[in-house]
């Protein structure tokens, strides 16, 4: 009986908060520059991909919000090396991730409804779809689930930062950065990292 009453009380409080909260759905898409960096990594370069996502502002006050989201990111890296035929070429590795960030967002109005955006918080990511490795005219794909334990890790967690500017009509331009805090490869001091530029729109 006590648990039932407690559950009903929590549900009532959450319902009241949601009904009174000023909130809005947002979407964004843009370019993503990814890498794998760390003490045990050398020669890796930024790989260009894309990112797309949705988020939802749960307004805590006029200038602060809690913003959960869901993003699709093309992470990975580029590296130059000598391969099977002893020729030097560039290898591009595409690692697709689904990312769940939960950000604390500061969005003060600066003029006529336009806002500066500063957001930061933790994220968790999980590899989905197929990994693609390409070099020159050759490419191979492999399911994430078939990667050996010694390969790139499917799970990542870290910190996400966003700086942007949102117009009163809902359009925004944003810079984002991701810093992984878990190891990208087993027994290797390396982590996923990325930064990007997105265009966004928030429904009013």
């Amino acid at each position: 009986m006590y648990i039932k009453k407690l559950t009903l009380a929590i549900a009532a409080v959450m319902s009241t908060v949601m009904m009174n909260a000023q909130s809005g759905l947002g979407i964004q898409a843009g370019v993503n520059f990814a890498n794998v960096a760390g003490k045990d990594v050398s020669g890796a370069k930024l790989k260009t991909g894309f990112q797309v996502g949705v988020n939802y502002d749960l307004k805590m006050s006029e200038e602060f919000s809690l913003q959960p989201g869901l993003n699709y990111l093309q992470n990975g890296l580029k590296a130059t090396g000598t391969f099977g035929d002893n020729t030097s070429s560039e290898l591009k590795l595409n690692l697709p991730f689904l990312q769940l960030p939960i950000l604390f967002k500061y969005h003060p109005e600066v003029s006529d409804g336009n806002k500066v955006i500063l957001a930061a918080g933790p994220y968790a990511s999980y590899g989905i779809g197929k990994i693609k490795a390409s070099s020159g005219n050759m490419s191979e794909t492999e399911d994430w689930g078939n990667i050996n334990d010694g390969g790139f890790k499917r799970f990542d967690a870290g910190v996400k930062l966003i700086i942007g500017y949102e117009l009163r009509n809902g359009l925004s331009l944003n810079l984002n950065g991701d810093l992984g805090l878990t190891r990208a490869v087993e027994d290797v001091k390396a982590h996923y990292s990325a930064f990007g530029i997105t265009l966004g729109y928030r429904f009013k």
Side-chain angles (χ1 to χ4, degrees):
M1 181 63 71
Y2 174 77
I3 295 177
K4 182 178 180 180
K5 288 182 178 180
L6 180 60
T7 302
L8 291 174
I10 293 173
V13 170
M14 291 301 296
S15 177
T16 301
V17 170
M18 293 298 292
M19 290 177 63
N20 289 286
Q22 297 289 332
S23 59
L25 177 68
I27 57 175
Q28 76 273 342
V31 64
N32 192 56
F33 303 99
N35 203 349
V36 174
K39 183 178 179 181
D40 294 341
V41 178
S42 63
K45 297 182 290 185
L46 292 174
K47 182 198 73 70
T48 304
F50 73 89
Q51 58 176 302
V52 62
V54 297
N55 57 70
Y56 202 84
D57 264 9
L58 297 172
K59 194 170 182 181
M60 302 166 63
S61 70
E62 287 299 318
E63 296 185 343
F64 290 92
S65 296
L66 182 66
Q67 185 188 87
L70 187 64
N71 304 318
Y72 173 81
L73 306 170
Q74 288 186 328
N75 284 346
L77 59 88
K78 290 195 301 185
T80 301
T82 301
F83 301 100
D85 56 359
N86 292 323
T87 60
S88 180
S89 60
E90 186 175 72
L91 173 68
K92 181 186 292 185
L93 185 64
N94 185 59
L95 303 171
F97 278 90
L98 197 62
Q99 181 191 77
L100 175 64
I102 300 178
L103 307 180
F104 296 94
K105 180 180 174 183
Y106 176 54
H107 45 88
E109 182 177 327
V110 290
S111 66
D112 298 327
N114 302 324
K115 299 178 179 180
V116 170
I117 299 170
L118 300 173
Y123 74 80
S125 295
Y126 189 74
I128 62 170
K130 294 182 180 294
I131 293 174
K132 182 178 180 180
S134 59
S135 178
N137 296 324
M138 300 178 61
S139 66
E140 292 185 4
T141 59
E142 186 67 68
D143 288 333
W144 266 105
N146 294 336
I147 299 300
N148 294 328
D149 290 340
F152 286 94
K153 293 300 181 181
R154 196 170 188 175
F155 177 77
D156 179 39
V159 177
K160 190 177 191 73
L161 303 173
I162 295 177
I163 300 174
Y165 191 82
E166 183 178 301
L167 301 176
R168 59 184 177 184
N169 62 7
L171 291 173
S172 65
L173 178 65
N174 309 286
L175 302 176
N176 67 271
D178 296 344
L179 177 62
L181 299 179
T182 61
R183 289 197 175 187
V185 183
E186 186 71 27
D187 298 327
V188 175
K189 293 180 181 179
H191 55 84
Y192 295 111
S193 64
F195 71 93
I197 304 172
T198 62
L199 290 175
Y201 180 75
R202 186 158 308 283
F203 296 92
K204 301 296 184 178

